[in-house]
């Protein structure tokens, strides 16, 4: 298969985690058979228009190692089988008619990286809450709430080279310094869109902090999915997810084994029952291994990309 991946043009919107997770996975799997158009400069460590530190999450994780570039000859759009638009429609960007005509309309697909809240054309009341719902057909959606036969679940992913081994000897703290306020039942100060709440400016120190923590805490913010989940799992910390039991099943992260909690008392009980006298219990270790298994099978950039490729291939063969 030859696939064109249409990237976001806006230089101020180059750090979308869904677009860049999936592009990383597709390029890793497909090499030059996946053509990013326009060329996604930040994925090749070209910071000429978008400084790395301006990217969401300070440019950690998805940008550590640059993608292997494609030469100009391999960037030819002849013989294209399918087109996958990134999240450019979120930023008001329209399709490229001259590229769309290279394939039948049914061979054009989209990523939908919208959070649950914010501005978007399609919204609906779900359980009494006004949220962003499906925006496109032939679409892979991260925060998928409403089932649709032409919308398929996807989510963030992490490059495989970020997955560390387990080392209990280095565990020095209960949870990570970057735990979200709401996950700890604090007054919420760490709203999205800025970097004032970022504790670390060095990526290695950020991962070392996660790796030295027995637990990594997370919670729903703008949506259920976030790169922090995958970074926590990759660092070898046990993920505890506030209110995970309330997450819609198709909404990413789908099928993740984890302990869910809904009160400060429940969180404290998990701390005390899973780590006893500074040592992990059998229950802790078993869940940690299940989470690592899930990460390898579903949570790497390659795993996410492979799921998308399987669906596209199925649709092309229909």
């Amino acid at each position: 298969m030859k696939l064109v991946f249409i990237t976001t043009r806006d230089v101020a919107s180059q750090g979308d985690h869904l677009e860049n997770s999936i592009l990383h996975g597709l390029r890793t799997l497909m090499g030059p058979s996946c053509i990013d158009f326009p060329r996604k400069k930040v994925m090749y460590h070209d910071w000429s228009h978008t400084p790395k530190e301006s990217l969401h999450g300070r440019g950690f994780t998805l940008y550590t190692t640059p993608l292997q570039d494609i030469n100009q000859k391999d960037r030819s759009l002849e013989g294209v089988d399918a087109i996958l638009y990134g999240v450019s429609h979120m930023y008001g960007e329209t399709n490229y008619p001259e590229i769309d005509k290279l394939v039948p309309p049914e061979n054009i697909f989209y990523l939908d990286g919208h959070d649950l809240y914010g501005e978007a054309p399609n919204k609906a009341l779900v359980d009494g809450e006004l949220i962003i719902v499906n925006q496109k057909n032939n679409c892979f959606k991260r925060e998928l709430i409403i089932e649709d036969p032409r919308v398929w679940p996807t989510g963030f992913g992490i490059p495989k080279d970020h997955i560390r081994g387990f080392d209990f000897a280095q565990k020095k703290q209960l949870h990570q310094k970057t735990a979200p306020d709401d996950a700890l039942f604090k007054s919420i100060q760490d709203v999205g869109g800025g970097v004032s709440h970022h504790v670390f400016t060095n990526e290695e120190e950020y991962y070392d902090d996660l790796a030295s923590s027995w637990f990594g805490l997370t919670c729903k913010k703008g949506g259920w999915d976030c790169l922090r989940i995958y970074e926590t799992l990759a660092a070898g910390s046990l993920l505890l997810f506030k209110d995970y039991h309330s997450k819609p099943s198709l909404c990413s992260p789908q099928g993740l084994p984890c302990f869910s909690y809904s009160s400060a008392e429940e969180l404290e009980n998990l701390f005390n029952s899973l780590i006893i006298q500074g040592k992990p219990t059998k229950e802790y270790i078993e869940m940690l291994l299940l989470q690592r298994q899930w990460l390898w099978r579903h949570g790497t950039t390659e795993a996410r990309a492979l799921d998308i490729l399987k669906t596209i291939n199925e649709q092309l063969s229909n």
Side-chain angles (χ1 to χ4, degrees):
M1 181 199 296
K2 188 172 182 179
L3 177 73
V4 178
F5 187 105
I6 305 295
T7 64
T8 300
R9 287 162 272 179
D10 178 19
V11 296
S13 306
Q14 293 299 299
D16 186 272
H17 284 165
L18 184 63
E19 179 167 293
N20 295 340
S21 289
I22 301 305
L23 176 60
H24 184 283
L26 289 170
R27 283 296 319 286
T28 303
L29 289 175
M30 302 177 70
S33 294
C34 173
I35 303 165
D36 48 315
F37 179 91
R39 178 177 174 272
K40 190 76 173 183
K41 292 182 177 182
V42 297
M43 299 302 287
Y44 303 98
H45 284 195
D46 179 347
W47 316 114
S48 58
H49 290 93
T50 308
K52 182 180 180 182
E53 60 272 15
S54 72
L55 296 170
H56 188 46
R58 291 192 185 274
F60 290 0
T61 304
L62 294 174
Y63 315 93
T64 309
T65 304
L67 292 178
Q68 184 175 352
D69 213 340
I70 308 173
N71 63 44
Q72 203 58 40
K73 180 181 178 182
D74 287 334
R75 285 188 174 275
S76 166
L77 301 186
E78 294 181 3
V80 172
D81 298 296
I83 296 166
L84 176 61
Y85 277 85
V87 300
S88 56
H89 59 96
M90 288 173 53
Y91 304 104
E93 297 180 6
T94 56
N95 283 26
Y96 289 88
E98 69 275 16
I99 295 180
D100 287 357
K101 69 183 181 182
L102 298 175
V103 300
E106 61 269 21
N107 292 9
I108 301 174
F109 300 84
Y110 299 86
L111 296 180
D112 187 347
H114 280 97
D115 282 343
L116 295 175
Y117 314 104
E119 296 304 317
N122 297 334
K123 291 186 177 184
L125 275 174
V126 178
D127 296 329
E129 189 175 35
L130 186 64
I131 62 170
I132 297 172
V133 292
N134 306 344
Q135 302 296 305
K136 298 278 189 179
N137 289 322
N138 266 22
C139 183
F140 300 93
K141 185 167 176 59
R142 173 171 60 88
E143 301 293 331
L144 179 54
I145 307 294
I146 298 177
E147 288 191 61
D148 186 301
R150 304 299 297 177
V151 182
W152 305 281
T154 189
F156 296 138
I158 193 168
K160 291 194 300 186
D161 58 11
H162 280 64
I163 301 177
R164 298 185 175 192
F166 300 128
D167 185 0
F168 294 152
Q170 75 176 102
K171 302 292 187 187
K172 300 174 183 176
Q173 59 190 7
L174 202 55
H175 61 76
Q176 82 274 37
K177 293 183 176 67
T178 53
D181 290 338
D182 189 45
L184 286 165
F185 303 95
K186 295 180 179 179
S187 174
I188 299 174
Q189 305 295 323
D190 53 349
V191 292
V195 297
S196 60
H197 62 279
H198 290 186
V199 177
F200 297 99
T201 58
N202 178 279
E203 183 173 340
E204 192 70 15
E205 292 176 1
Y206 169 67
Y207 274 93
D208 286 346
D209 178 71
L210 286 169
S212 66
S213 306
W214 286 109
F215 301 99
L217 309 184
T218 195
C219 59
K220 173 186 171 187
K221 292 181 76 174
W224 290 95
D225 206 18
C226 63
L227 202 58
R228 173 178 58 254
I229 293 167
Y230 305 84
E231 293 166 338
T232 298
L233 299 178
S237 181
L238 185 71
L239 187 77
L240 303 181
F241 205 133
K242 181 175 179 282
D243 296 326
Y244 183 80
H245 64 279
S246 298
K247 183 189 71 64
S249 61
L250 294 177
C251 191
S252 185
Q254 305 90 355
L256 170 65
C258 69
F259 293 106
S260 178
Y261 66 95
S262 297
S263 68
E265 181 181 10
E266 288 180 352
L267 179 60
E268 188 69 21
N269 287 340
L270 284 171
F271 288 158
N272 294 333
S273 64
L274 294 171
I275 301 296
I276 298 177
Q277 296 182 344
K279 295 185 181 298
T281 62
K282 180 173 179 286
E283 191 177 17
Y284 177 102
I285 294 171
E286 287 176 345
M287 181 61 81
L288 189 70
L289 293 175
L290 286 173
Q291 290 184 350
R292 179 54 59 87
Q293 185 180 62
W294 182 93
L295 182 65
W296 280 111
R297 289 182 176 177
H298 306 287
T300 67
T301 60
E302 292 177 48
R304 291 295 193 187
L306 186 59
D307 281 344
I308 285 175
L309 285 175
K310 286 179 179 177
T311 298
I312 290 177
N313 269 314
E314 289 172 0
Q315 297 305 308
L316 296 188
S317 63
N318 286 343

